[in-house]
Amino acid sequence: MENEELLQEEESSVLTLTDENGQDIDFEYLDCIDYEGKEYLVLMPAEDESNEIVILEVQPVDEENENYIAVESEETLDAVYAIFKEKFKDILTFED
């Protein structure tokens, strides 16, 4: 997937998330997708040249905070990725 076109289309947002080892990692926010009553963030590591995306489940903690959980289900990952690809098919080029 190439992200140059997306960056030209929209202002890029960078999220800094802390992994389980306490390290901060910057991600480019691509989209938030609703699927089966849950929200999923579609992100791309900011420092990674591979252009791979990361899909995380949004888990609300309270009104101001939320956690981002790795998605274990291949079916869910595939479904959210398919929605993302369909939504951005005219903007991005995807390599499967």
Side-chain angles (χ1 to χ4, degrees):
M1 177 178 68
E2 295 188 18
N3 67 338
E4 279 92 45
E5 291 178 35
L6 178 66
L7 294 177
Q8 291 171 1
E9 291 287 324
E10 297 180 18
E11 185 177 319
S12 175
S13 315
V14 176
L15 296 174
T16 302
L17 302 179
T18 305
D19 70 11
E20 63 272 1
N21 299 320
Q23 294 190 354
D24 289 344
I25 303 170
D26 290 337
F27 290 91
E28 291 182 42
Y29 170 86
L30 301 177
D31 200 11
C32 185
I33 293 176
D34 291 324
Y35 176 70
E36 293 191 345
K38 296 181 181 178
E39 288 186 324
Y40 296 89
L41 289 184
V42 181
L43 308 170
M44 183 183 308
E47 303 298 319
D48 192 349
E49 295 298 316
S50 69
N51 291 332
E52 290 185 14
I53 66 166
V54 175
I55 297 172
L56 299 174
E57 180 182 333
V58 178
Q59 185 180 63
V61 175
D62 56 37
E63 289 184 24
E64 297 178 12
N65 298 298
E66 53 194 20
N67 288 328
Y68 305 104
I69 310 299
V71 179
E72 302 286 328
S73 165
E74 283 293 322
E75 281 183 34
T76 301
L77 287 173
D78 291 344
V80 171
Y81 185 57
I83 294 167
F84 176 75
K85 286 193 331 186
E86 181 62 27
K87 191 172 179 181
F88 288 93
K89 67 182 178 189
D90 296 331
I91 298 171
L92 298 173
T93 302
F94 294 93
E95 298 173 8
D96 288 326

